[in-house]
Amino acid sequence: MKKIFLGPPGSGKGTYSSRISSFWKIPHISTGDLFRAHLKNQTEIGKQIKEFMNSGNLVPDTITIEMLKNRISQNDCKKGFILDGFPRTIPQAEELAKITDIDVVINLNLSNEILIKKACARRVCQDCGDIYSTIEINQGEIKMPGMFPKEEGKCDKCHGELMQRKDDNEATVKERLETFKNQTAPLIDFYKNNGLLKDIQVKYNPTKMVSEILQAIKSLAEKYELSIDYEK
Ligand code: ADP
Ligand code: ZN
């Protein structure tokens, strides 16, 4: 099963991808996480991408596509994978289509006002990447509880230190939303025209959202007669 999570910054791509990855036992590939690892390890790629990432702009397609191709050619991707944050431009989607078929695209929707609040309240474990949230959203039908760690500033899973990403501040989040609108949103029509896309409104806690997403994948799979193993 090859899936793509499409959605603006702060929409929950990382959280849902990581849960569905453990459910299906297929790798969760986040280009943002791969780039952050390059920054942390101060690699050659890390030096080339730093300015783009810190300013909320996209990393150039050539670097991104090359890195992604390397990742999905590895053995653990043979049974499928979940792409989180790739593709983000039409040329990226076209390159991806040349090397693999995609079964389902989940398109996450949430208002910019809530996205800004959520991105600024995000905390990430610097060791295992687990994601937490320091705010609760309760707005009309949108009811998203905070995802607080048991011990302040520490990851529940590995006890690593929780950090705020450098690009999770209001000004950079607004820049990333603009980038999303201009460069990534055209992918919604790109995949809609292929009949692969399922729109999901983000409203509830991750457990409820994940079950809605699994349901949506199932109905798309039935429609297109894809074979999917639902066993955990
Ligand atoms: P978010 O979806 O919250 O913006 P990500 O972790 O997916 O966060 O991405 C963080 C940054 O990494 C982006 O702002 C961009 O600079 C870079 N990046 C990630 N994926 C891509 C991609 N597919 N193409 C270009 N740049 C990317
Ligand atoms: Zn951790």
Side-chain angles (χ1 to χ4, degrees), residues 22-164:
S22 7
F23 178 84
W24 255 313
K25 307 210 170 11
I26 51 176
H28 164 203
I29 302 171
S30 154
T31 40
D33 285 349
L34 294 174
F35 284 140
R36 279 184 289 278
H38 278 289
L39 285 182
K40 196 172 169 185
N41 299 326
Q42 300 180 337
T43 64
E44 202 43 53
I45 291 182
K47 284 179 207 150
Q48 294 170 30
I49 64 175
K50 196 171 173 187
E51 287 311 312
F52 297 104
M53 292 197 61
N54 289 346
S55 59
N57 289 307
L58 294 185
V59 172
D61 282 340
T62 43
I63 302 177
T64 309
I65 292 166
E66 166 86 11
M67 180 181 73
L68 194 274
K69 277 187 178 169
N70 278 338
R71 180 63 190 90
I72 61 176
S73 67
Q74 287 168 24
N75 263 340
D76 62 336
C77 291
K78 291 235 160 68
K79 275 167 67 186
F81 46 77
I82 302 173
L83 296 182
D84 156 12
F86 186 96
R88 251 173 157 105
T89 62
I90 296 278
Q92 290 181 14
E94 289 171 343
E95 282 301 313
L96 183 66
K98 286 185 198 161
I99 53 171
T100 182
D101 287 333
I102 293 298
D103 301 307
V104 177
V105 178
I106 296 293
N107 180 39
L108 301 172
N109 293 273
L110 195 58
S111 75
N112 277 6
E113 180 207 347
I114 297 182
L115 288 168
I116 293 169
K117 285 187 191 159
K118 279 196 69 220
C120 294
R122 166 163 55 192
R123 298 293 180 272
V124 185
C125 171
Q126 65 168 0
D127 295 329
C128 77
D130 211 21
I131 302 167
Y132 297 82
S133 175
T134 62
I135 49 157
E136 183 177 316
I137 309 274
N138 211 330
Q139 233 165 282
E141 56 171 358
I142 301 183
K143 294 188 171 30
M144 305 172 81
M147 296 189 287
F148 303 100
K150 291 192 185 98
E151 188 186 328
E152 204 183 320
K154 296 271 181 246
C155 173
D156 291 352
K157 283 191 189 153
C158 76
H159 227 69
E161 198 181 337
L162 301 187
M163 308 281 283
Q164 182 168 26

